[in-house]
Amino acid sequence: WDCSHWRWKNTPVSQAGQHKGRKEGKTLVQESVVGHDLYCYYHAFGFPGSCNDINVLERSETVFKFLKNEYSLQAPENWTVNGRTRDWLYFLTDGIYPSWAIFCKPYPRDDTDPKHLYFSKKQEGARKDVERFFSVLAEEFGILQKPLRNWYMQDISNIVKCCVILHNMNVASRTARDIAGDGIG
């Protein structure tokens, strides 16, 4: 789970204040949940650019549906870590998020236990998948590389949603080719 800011060039003057990003000018925020193969399982777009990741988390319908058990976190099969068997999934996050059961955060940077350091390194590497997804999405669809020029939020949201759907179709096609043995790698 992570967020990305997309620049919005033609922000209406009446909305300019709420869309002021940290350093990129006016932005819109995209929230996404991505798997290791870069398949996007959930995406929401259109949060004001003034929101940071914690503000988006507080407004996230998906996270709260998971917390209320409206979406299943049931894992396809049980797995064991440190002698504890688990049967649910979780989100990889960085250290700024709250300590909720659905979040898996790295150990604090001042922890010197070699096992904790190893875990944190692997966890941070796996967490980069969602950040890589945002980069791949921008690379695949040139429209996202430049500041968004549309005026209406719904139009921009539809464009980003279309890009995510096409990206997922590419991932599914690549996965099917790899399973069939026709793909490279």
Side-chain angles (χ1 to χ4, degrees):
W1 185 89
D2 204 359
C3 300
S4 181
H5 289 253
W6 300 101
R7 289 185 57 207
W8 188 12
K9 181 179 179 186
N10 293 335
T11 310
V13 173
S14 63
Q15 299 177 18
Q18 67 181 348
H19 291 283
K20 176 120 177 60
R22 292 174 292 229
K23 58 184 174 221
E24 300 130 358
K26 312 299 186 274
T27 61
L28 292 166
V29 180
Q30 177 180 353
E31 165 195 23
S32 294
V33 176
V34 178
H36 67 88
D37 58 356
L38 299 190
Y39 188 89
C40 183
Y41 290 95
Y42 171 78
H43 123 95
F45 182 80
F47 296 101
S50 60
C51 291
N52 61 24
D53 289 6
I54 298 297
N55 299 135
V56 172
L57 171 66
E58 291 171 352
R59 298 175 182 199
S60 173
E61 291 180 27
T62 301
V63 171
F64 286 104
K65 285 183 179 183
F66 280 117
L67 292 172
K68 292 178 184 177
N69 289 326
E70 291 179 29
Y71 288 163
S72 175
L73 283 172
Q74 186 70 35
E77 57 187 58
N78 292 348
W79 48 278
T80 303
V81 173
N82 291 334
R84 290 187 72 180
T85 301
R86 304 275 187 193
D87 63 349
W88 45 271
L89 303 173
Y90 55 88
F91 299 114
L92 299 178
T93 61
D94 57 25
I96 66 168
Y97 293 98
S99 296
W100 294 349
I102 63 169
F103 292 148
C104 178
K105 303 190 304 185
Y107 287 98
R109 293 199 185 276
D110 59 353
D111 193 332
T112 58
D113 183 333
K115 289 181 181 179
H116 292 178
L117 293 173
Y118 179 77
F119 172 83
S120 292
K121 182 179 176 183
K122 292 296 184 180
Q123 191 268 5
E124 288 175 7
R127 189 174 49 81
K128 296 292 181 191
D129 289 341
V130 70
E131 294 174 18
R132 197 167 51 117
F133 163 76
F134 293 126
S135 297
V136 167
L137 198 62
E139 280 296 315
E140 282 181 325
F141 305 100
I143 193 167
L144 299 175
Q145 290 180 348
K146 299 180 177 103
L148 301 166
R149 294 181 295 180
N150 295 60
W151 182 269
Y152 299 105
M153 178 94 66
Q154 188 59 47
D155 291 345
I156 297 170
S157 182
N158 288 339
I159 289 168
V160 173
K161 185 185 292 185
C162 180
C163 291
V164 170
I165 290 169
L166 289 171
H167 168 80
N168 280 349
M169 290 171 64
N170 286 339
V171 170
S173 174
R174 185 176 59 241
T175 302
R177 277 196 320 266
D178 289 346
I179 290 171
D182 298 337
I184 300 172

